[in-house]
Amino acid sequence: QVQLVESGGGLVKPGGSLKLSCRASRSAYAMGWYRQAPGKERIFTAVMLINGATNYDDSVRGRFSISRDNAKNEVYLQMDFLRPEDTGIYYCYSRISTTETWGPGTQVTVSS
């Protein structure tokens, strides 16, 4: 079992930026982020495989950038040009073989 701890959430104005970080207790094949807006289901946001391949949800492509430091077992999400609809709880995600794990989440609020 892997433990995930997120940090970096907060309040930001529309058009602003935030960077989320997540530390895993062990290495994972895939690490990424999901988000859950108020009253909605948790949805995929971005993922990065251990070989560097990435994928993004269309709603964040071009605005968000995922990266990871495999030596530290950490994954990051740089979020630029934030919009009010990006508001939600952001969950770190990892996959080792067929086992998926989510962190406790960090709140991101985009509001003027």
Side-chain angles (χ1 to χ4, degrees):
Q1 189 74 15
V2 60
Q3 282 75 49
L4 303 171
V5 179
E6 304 98 336
S7 62
L11 173 65
V12 64
K13 293 182 178 180
S17 298
L18 277 177
K19 185 175 183 178
L20 305 182
S21 300
C22 172
R23 175 169 293 179
S25 59
R26 55 171 294 190
S27 178
Y29 174 71
M31 293 188 74
W33 298 89
Y34 279 64
R35 61 182 181 173
Q36 185 170 19
K40 297 188 177 181
E41 295 184 351
R42 187 182 306 181
I43 60 173
F44 166 77
T45 301
V47 67
M48 190 170 194
L49 304 184
I50 199 166
N51 64 5
T54 61
N55 193 26
Y56 296 91
D57 180 71
D58 286 344
S59 66
V60 306
R61 194 183 307 274
R63 299 188 298 121
F64 292 10
S65 178
I66 190 169
S67 60
R68 60 188 285 179
D69 185 330
N70 293 330
K72 296 181 179 179
N73 297 329
E74 293 184 351
V75 65
Y76 314 99
L77 187 66
Q78 177 66 44
M79 305 185 293
D80 299 319
F81 306 107
L82 283 160
R83 304 167 179 169
E85 55 263 38
D86 295 321
T87 294
I89 300 173
Y90 283 69
Y91 298 91
C92 182
Y93 160 88
S94 77
R95 180 165 63 88
I96 301 172
S97 184
T98 58
T99 301
E100 298 179 312
T101 305
W102 282 266
T106 185
Q107 177 70 43
V108 171
T109 302
V110 185
S111 175
S112 55

